[in-house]
Amino acid sequence: MTIPGKVVAITGASSGIGAATARHLAALGACVVLGARRTDRLDRLVAEIEGSGGRAVAARVDVTAPDDLRSLVALAVERFGRLDVLVGNAGISRIGTVAELDVAGWSAMVDVNVKGILHGIAAALPVFTRQGSGHLVTVVSTAGLKIVPTQAVYAGTKNAVRTLLEGLRQESTSGALRTTSVSPGYVRTEFVDHAVDDPAVREQVQRDMAELGLDPGAVARAIAFAIDQPDDVEIGDLTIRPTRQG
C-alpha cells in the first residue's frame, strides 16, 4: 500500500464524503489536511482522527475564494513538508427545472462546483510541479453521465469539470501529474438538504437517498483505491476514471 505517509488535502471535509474520506485515509496512515467552511465540525473531526492515532490539521476553506485554497495547500506543505494529493470534493446542488430560472442557484453551482475545482488546481499545480509528482482526485457525479430532468445545470457543472481535467491531463506531459475522477450516484449525505426549496419534494428525495444511496464510506474507499492503485474500475454506482499522462 502506498497511502501511509502521503499528504492528502480534502475540500468539503466537514461532512459526508469528505469527512468519510478523511477518516478512512487517516486510518490507512495518510496525513490529512482538511478544508471546509464549518470549522466547528472540522475541529471535532481533527480531534477524532488524532484521538485514534492519526495525523490531521484543518483550516477554514471556502472554495470560491482562491486565497483559501492557496492557504490549504500552504498548510499541507508547512505542516507535513509536501502535498501528494488534492481531493476536490466540495460541491453543491440546486434541483429544479431550467424553466424555473434559478439564476442565483446556477451561479452558486458554477462558483463552487467549477471555479472551486479550478481554484484548487491553481493552488496545487505549482507545488506538484516543483515536487515532480502530484495527484488531483475530483469527486464528480453520475448525474453528468446520465442526464435527467431537474439536474441539468448541476450535471453541466460536473461535465465541465470532467472536460477541464481531461484537458489538463493532455497538457501535463511531464509525468508529474495524475488525475482521477470519481463519479458516485446517490450518496447518503446532507447534500440534498439545501438543494430543494419545496419541503415535500426535499423529504421525498431524502427518503430516496436513505433507501437507495451509497454509504459515504464506500466512496471514501474508492478514493483510497484510486490513490493507492489507480487502475480503471467500476464499483456499483461508482465510476472511477483514473488517467495518467507521462
Side-chain angles (χ1 to χ4, degrees):
M1 178 174 286
T2 64
I3 290 176
K6 279 194 173 178
V7 181
V8 183
I10 305 167
T11 65
S14 61
S15 65
I17 293 170
T21 300
R23 292 186 180 98
H24 185 59
L25 292 178
L28 294 175
C31 305
V32 293
V33 184
L34 311 180
R37 292 176 298 179
R38 296 175 292 186
T39 55
D40 55 336
R41 293 193 178 197
L42 287 180
D43 291 343
R44 289 195 295 270
L45 183 55
V46 168
E48 175 190 331
I49 289 170
E50 290 182 333
S52 299
R55 302 179 69 189
V57 293
R60 186 187 185 281
V61 171
D62 180 341
V63 296
T64 68
D67 284 348
D68 284 9
L69 272 302
R70 285 192 287 266
S71 294
L72 186 70
V73 170
L75 177 62
V77 175
E78 176 188 336
R79 293 294 297 272
F80 300 117
R82 60 185 294 111
L83 176 65
D84 297 300
V85 184
L86 174 62
V87 179
N89 167 70
I92 62 171
S93 176
R94 292 288 298 171
I95 296 175
T97 64
V98 174
E100 292 174 36
L101 302 181
D102 180 13
V103 176
W106 301 346
S107 296
M109 283 187 281
V110 170
D111 286 346
V112 174
N113 300 351
V114 182
K115 291 183 180 179
I117 295 297
L118 286 169
H119 296 159
I121 292 171
L125 196 54
V127 174
F128 292 165
T129 301
R130 187 165 63 246
Q131 294 173 169
S133 65
H135 191 174
L136 294 169
V137 178
T138 305
V139 179
V140 280
S141 173
T142 55
L145 301 172
K146 179 177 175 55
I147 313 303
V148 298
T150 74
Q151 295 186 36
V153 178
Y154 173 70
T157 64
K158 294 303 184 178
N159 278 329
V161 170
R162 283 193 180 87
T163 299
L164 71 89
L165 286 174
E166 173 58 17
L168 177 60
R169 182 194 71 82
Q170 293 183 27
E171 293 168 1
S172 303
T173 58
S174 68
L177 179 67
R178 182 150 50 93
T179 68
T180 301
S181 61
V182 180
S183 299
Y186 273 156
V187 182
R188 295 194 297 274
T189 69
E190 303 168 12
F191 190 68
V192 75
D193 291 356
H194 304 289
V196 185
D197 290 330
D198 187 306
V201 175
R202 183 169 59 247
E203 184 178 347
Q204 181 59 55
V205 174
Q206 289 169 334
R207 284 198 298 268
D208 291 343
M209 291 183 72
E211 180 180 354
L212 303 173
L214 291 166
D215 183 273
V219 187
R221 291 189 293 274
I223 290 171
F225 179 86
I227 293 171
D228 185 50
Q229 184 180 338
D231 297 326
D232 285 356
V233 65
E234 293 188 12
I235 309 173
D237 285 337
L238 286 170
T239 302
I240 305 175
R241 286 288 179 262
T243 54
R244 189 170 190 167
Q245 185 80 18

